Amino acid sequence: MTPSNTPPQNRILAALSLSVYERLLPDLELVRIRVGDEIHAPGIPISHLYFPLDCIVACVAELSDGATLLTSLTGPEGMAGLSCLLGCGSAPARVVALSGGSALRIKSPVLKKEFDAGGELQRLVLGFT
């Protein structure tokens, strides 16, 4: 599935200028997310970054005793895979879907290139951080 030219429900993508959004548009893929889907796993290279549209994902860290700790929630206001843009190629913790819905995903090298160029995507992502 491909996204449309209309501004997405994700606030980061919706805040981009039309020229930047249209530059990313060919690389954005609309995907369905089900409750419990694993988006990223700890220590595994991040191949795609996700912009939730109407789902919620949680970052869950595992402690040394096996207990888990919810460290963040992300919905349409943000993105999953931020550590990849900030220099860590793998996920520091597990990211799973708490609610089902849709997300736009993009290959990490494509978004990293746009992020590293500076400008509005970088400003918006750092603001979300």
Side-chain angles (χ1 to χ4, degrees), residues 38-62:
E38 185 174 82
I39 307 299
H40 297 124
I44 304 295
I46 296 173
S47 62
H48 291 82
L49 292 99
Y50 290 76
F51 294 93
L53 301 178
D54 58 2
C55 61
I56 297 173
V57 299
C59 187
V60 182
E62 187 171 328

Side-chain angles (χ1 to χ4, degrees), residues 58-63 65-72 93-94:
C59 187
V60 182
E62 187 171 328
L63 305 177
D65 65 0
T68 57
L69 175 66
L70 180 69
T71 60
S72 68
R94 187 168 316 286

Side-chain angles (χ1 to χ4, degrees), residues 5-117:
N5 285 350
T6 59
Q9 297 100 321
N10 180 277
R11 291 187 197 148
I12 292 175
L13 294 177
L16 293 172
S17 66
L18 188 57
S19 63
V20 173
Y21 179 67
E22 286 181 342
R23 185 167 53 244
L24 295 174
L25 188 60
D27 295 299
L28 291 168
E29 177 188 6
L30 183 63
V31 294
R32 294 290 303 157
I33 305 287
R34 295 175 311 229
V35 173
D37 280 355
E38 185 174 82
I39 307 299
H40 297 124
I44 304 295
I46 296 173
S47 62
H48 291 82
L49 292 99
Y50 290 76
F51 294 93
L53 301 178
D54 58 2
C55 61
I56 297 173
V57 299
C59 187
V60 182
E62 187 171 328
L63 305 177
S64 59
D65 65 0
T68 57
L69 175 66
L70 180 69
T71 60
S72 68
L73 293 173
T74 303
E77 78 287 348
M79 61 175 290
L82 179 65
S83 61
C84 177
L85 297 180
L86 300 177
C88 181
S90 62
R94 187 168 316 286
V95 177
V96 296
L98 288 185
S99 70
S102 299
L104 290 172
R105 76 177 187 176
I106 188 167
K107 291 180 180 176
S108 56
V110 173
L111 199 63
K112 179 100 171 93
K113 181 179 177 183
E114 183 71 35
F115 180 84
D116 287 347

